[in-house]
């Protein structure tokens, strides 16, 4: 992460600019071993938001080579999000618990097992479509097609774009409980789709209902006040 980088804190979810609130370190394994030279990079980032100030900790393992006194990255091996360990966002409790449970678990294992994470995310997507749109239970890709005329074009394009990318497109043709190979970036993309739909459908609907209820209440209070006059 470079100085002056825009960053979203995983704790408070505020968008902030990182300047000097980070600390990076590296450790290189030079000893003879079966896997060759590797370097572990760790990074602490402290949220500059005064109401948060929590730190995040991540680590990356790279195959590396030595150039002079420094190690140069050659091939990325693995990434760990250590603090917080869960990359998931917090959502309101009016969203059905089974959907949130699948989403949270998909987030927790995204980097440990992308294929298992994608399987849970696909099940979460199916749960969202069935609950929100009350579609007839079927295979996921058929359920997605069944709501094409019910959602706005931008939302449909977002869903279809994820479905059409590489392995994800093929996976959505299968049973949601089949575990198949998925790249880490594909699992992350599915999680981002889930987050988008939870906000675009459930939260927007809830906010709309609350606003309309407030308007109706004010109108009713005005009507009652006039009656008393």
């Amino acid at each position: 992460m470079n100085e002056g980088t825009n960053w979203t804190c995983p704790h408070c979810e505020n968008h902030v600019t990182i300047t000097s609130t980070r600390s990076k370190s590296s450790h290189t394994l030079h000893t003879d071993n079966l896997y060759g030279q590797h370097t572990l990079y760790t990074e602490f980032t402290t949220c500059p938001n005064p109401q948060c100030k929590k730190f995040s900790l991540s680590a990356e393992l790279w195959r590396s080579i030595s150039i002079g006194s420094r190690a140069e990255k050659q091939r990325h091996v693995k990434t760990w999000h250590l603090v917080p360990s869960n990359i998931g966002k917090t959502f309101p409790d009016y969203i059905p618990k089974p959907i949130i449970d699948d989403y949270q678990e998909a987030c927790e294992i995204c980097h440990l097992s992308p294929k298992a994470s994608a399987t849970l995310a696909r099940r979460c997507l199916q749960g969202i479509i069935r609950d929100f749109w009350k579609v007839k239970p079927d295979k996921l890709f058929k359920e997605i097609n069944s709501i094409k005329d019910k959602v706005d074009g931008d939302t449909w394009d977002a869903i279809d774009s994820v479905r059409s990318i590489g392995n994800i497109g093929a996976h959505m043709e299968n049973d949601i409980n089949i575990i198949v190979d998925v790249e880490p970036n594909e699992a992350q993309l599915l999680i981002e789709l889930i987050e988008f739909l939870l906000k675009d459908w459930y939260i927007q609907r809830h906010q709309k209902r609350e606003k309309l209820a407030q308007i109706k209440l004010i109108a009713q209070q005005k009507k009652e006040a006039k009656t008393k006059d």
Side-chain angles (χ1 to χ4, degrees), residues 1 3-5 7 16-24 43-49 53-56:
M1 186 181 299
E3 301 293 344
T5 298
W7 181 68
V16 295
T17 299
I18 298 300
T19 53
S20 59
T21 56
R22 67 187 180 104
S23 177
K24 300 177 70 173
E43 180 174 338
F44 281 100
T45 305
T46 302
C47 179
N49 175 14
K53 304 298 286 186
K54 295 179 180 178
F55 73 78
S56 301

Side-chain angles (χ1 to χ4, degrees), residues 15 21 23 31 40 54 81 87 111 117-119 134 138 141 150 154 158 201 213 220 227:
H15 300 287
T21 56
S23 177
T31 57
L40 180 69
K54 295 179 180 178
H81 293 278
I87 63 172
H111 297 286
S117 175
T119 299
K134 312 302 180 186
D138 208 324
F141 83 100
K150 300 178 181 179
D154 289 339
W201 291 349
Q220 182 63 32
T227 302

Side-chain angles (χ1 to χ4, degrees), residues 152-207:
D152 64 88
D154 289 339
T155 300
W156 168 254
D157 286 344
I159 298 172
D160 198 49
S161 294
V162 171
R163 181 172 60 170
S164 66
I165 294 175
N167 290 332
I168 292 179
H171 299 163
M172 286 188 176
E173 304 292 324
N174 299 322
D175 184 278
I176 58 168
N177 294 313
I178 295 176
I179 298 178
V180 287
D181 288 335
V182 176
E183 296 297 322
N185 64 310
E186 293 177 332
Q188 181 63 42
L189 198 61
L190 271 173
I191 287 174
E192 290 175 3
L193 173 63
I194 299 301
E195 293 171 347
F196 170 78
L197 295 179
L198 291 177
K199 293 175 183 177
D200 194 52
W201 291 349
Y202 285 96
I203 294 179
Q204 289 285 351
R205 180 179 67 179
H206 183 79
Q207 292 175 342

Side-chain angles (χ1 to χ4, degrees), residues 52-204:
C52 180
K53 304 298 286 186
K54 295 179 180 178
F55 73 78
S56 301
L57 173 61
S58 62
E60 290 185 353
L61 182 64
W62 286 76
R63 183 77 165 83
S64 63
I65 60 172
S66 291
I67 298 180
S69 60
R70 66 182 180 84
E72 183 172 293
K73 297 177 180 178
Q74 291 290 297
R75 179 176 58 84
H76 176 259
V77 178
K78 201 163 189 177
T79 296
W80 296 270
H81 293 278
L82 303 173
V83 180
S85 59
N86 187 349
I87 63 172
K89 296 179 172 26
T90 300
F91 285 98
D93 57 10
Y94 54 74
I95 298 175
K97 187 175 183 300
I99 290 175
I100 295 301
D101 288 347
D102 280 346
Y103 162 75
Q104 292 289 353
E105 190 172 349
C107 291
E108 289 172 3
I109 62 175
C110 182
H111 297 286
L112 294 175
S113 178
K115 59 185 179 181
S117 175
T119 299
L120 283 163
R122 280 160 45 229
R123 189 170 76 177
C124 183
L125 175 60
Q126 187 171 58
I128 291 172
I129 293 174
R130 288 182 177 181
D131 174 72
F132 194 88
W133 296 105
K134 312 302 180 186
V135 301
K136 179 181 178 181
D138 208 324
K139 284 190 175 182
L140 178 56
F141 83 100
K142 290 184 179 179
E143 293 173 347
I144 291 174
N145 286 335
S146 72
I147 65 170
K148 185 174 183 178
D149 60 347
K150 300 178 181 179
V151 302
D152 64 88
D154 289 339
T155 300
W156 168 254
D157 286 344
I159 298 172
D160 198 49
S161 294
V162 171
R163 181 172 60 170
S164 66
I165 294 175
N167 290 332
I168 292 179
H171 299 163
M172 286 188 176
E173 304 292 324
N174 299 322
D175 184 278
I176 58 168
N177 294 313
I178 295 176
I179 298 178
V180 287
D181 288 335
V182 176
E183 296 297 322
N185 64 310
E186 293 177 332
Q188 181 63 42
L189 198 61
L190 271 173
I191 287 174
E192 290 175 3
L193 173 63
I194 299 301
E195 293 171 347
F196 170 78
L197 295 179
L198 291 177
K199 293 175 183 177
D200 194 52
W201 291 349
Y202 285 96
I203 294 179
Q204 289 285 351

